Amino acid sequence: MKLIVGLGNPGDRYQPTRHNAGFWLVERFAAQTHTVLRKDAKFQALVGRHEASGTWLLLPQNFMNASGRPVQMLSSFFKIAPADILVAHDELDFPPGTVRVKQGGSAAGHNGLKDISARLGSHEYWRLRIGIGHPGDRHAVTEYVLNKPAQEERADIDAAIGRALEVLPLMLAGDVQGAMLKLHTTPELVARPVEARRAEHPGRAEKPAKAEKPQTAAVMEKTPEMPAKAGNTDTPADPGKAGKSGALGSFFKKLLPDSDPAHKK
């Protein structure tokens, strides 16, 4: 990657809002790597260069729907292709705590991505998608993204950004597939959907697991039927047992006269 872009809105008013998740990631990366971000009037952005990799960091200082202009100007000036650009942005389709990397695709209604795609004339740049959750109503999206997340949500978002920062060196070194494999198979991401469901339905009890005892009882109930197999022709009959059976039959006939066919006549 030759250029990392963080999307957000400039100013203190918007700094803590969900829409600035892309800013949060680039700012944290700059702080960790001691990369200074300076305001550059020519590119209408805060710009810095990661010394170890030579990768440019860019925070557009226009509002979100005009983010594409600084990206287009810097990438054009340094001859950076879309496939070498990574754009970090907030993602409504993922819950807080989830982060994913992908290349290309539609803007999915994100105004910052729309403008970047239009300015670059391409969708083939990489996206680092930081989950912020969805308000549940498309009419409430604007107000939702321009407000601060709850404390628990912000903690989840920060944790996701932390995991993304762990794999960012792989991406800067050109091992995007390795970074994706590590990021997308993080154990915390696997457990997250279960926690999310519980949070969405706090009053709903989880269904208890089926006990094994009823299944054992069912097998035991079938056990008495097994003697019926004694008549199987594969097993030779015992003559002694046959004689005892005949004697017992005669004895019971004497005790139970109604069962005697002669008595019925």
Side-chain angles (χ1 to χ4, degrees), residues 193-206:
V194 176
E195 296 173 2
R197 286 197 299 270
R198 289 176 179 171
E200 292 170 0
H201 307 286
R204 181 184 298 176
E206 294 287 337

Side-chain angles (χ1 to χ4, degrees), residues 9-63:
N9 287 306
D12 294 339
R13 156 71 178 86
Y14 299 104
Q15 193 280 332
T17 65
R18 295 179 177 93
H19 223 14
N20 277 41
F23 270 20
W24 300 344
L25 182 138
V26 173
E27 288 167 348
R28 280 180 59 177
F29 180 68
Q32 287 181 7
T33 58
H34 307 289
T35 302
V36 179
L37 298 173
R38 294 185 175 89
K39 189 168 184 178
D40 191 315
K42 178 172 139 181
F43 296 124
Q44 303 174 9
L46 293 177
V47 180
R49 193 170 194 184
H50 181 238
E51 185 176 349
S53 64
T55 299
W56 290 97
L57 307 182
L58 180 76
L59 297 180
Q61 294 301 289
N62 301 329
F63 284 98

Side-chain angles (χ1 to χ4, degrees), residues 22 42 82 145 157 166 169 200 233 242:
K42 178 172 139 181
V145 299
I157 295 170
E166 289 177 4
E200 292 170 0
T233 57

Side-chain angles (χ1 to χ4, degrees), residues 104-166:
S106 69
H110 195 290
N111 289 331
L113 297 180
K114 281 182 183 178
D115 197 52
I116 291 174
S117 295
R119 292 281 184 174
L120 295 180
S122 172
H123 298 288
E124 294 308 306
Y125 52 91
W126 290 86
R127 297 101 186 274
L128 185 57
R129 309 161 72 195
I130 305 165
I132 62 169
H134 197 286
D137 181 356
R138 64 187 181 87
H139 299 294
V141 165
T142 300
E143 182 180 357
Y144 178 77
V145 299
L146 294 179
N147 277 282
K148 296 192 299 183
Q151 185 176 355
E152 297 81 4
E153 292 177 350
R154 178 61 192 260
D156 287 343
I157 295 170
D158 285 340
I161 289 174
R163 293 195 296 275
L165 292 176
E166 289 177 4

Side-chain angles (χ1 to χ4, degrees), residues 217-237:
V219 173
M220 292 176 64
E221 289 172 2
K222 294 181 180 180
T223 304
E225 298 177 5
M226 293 176 64
K229 294 181 179 180
N232 192 327
T233 57
D234 292 340
T235 304

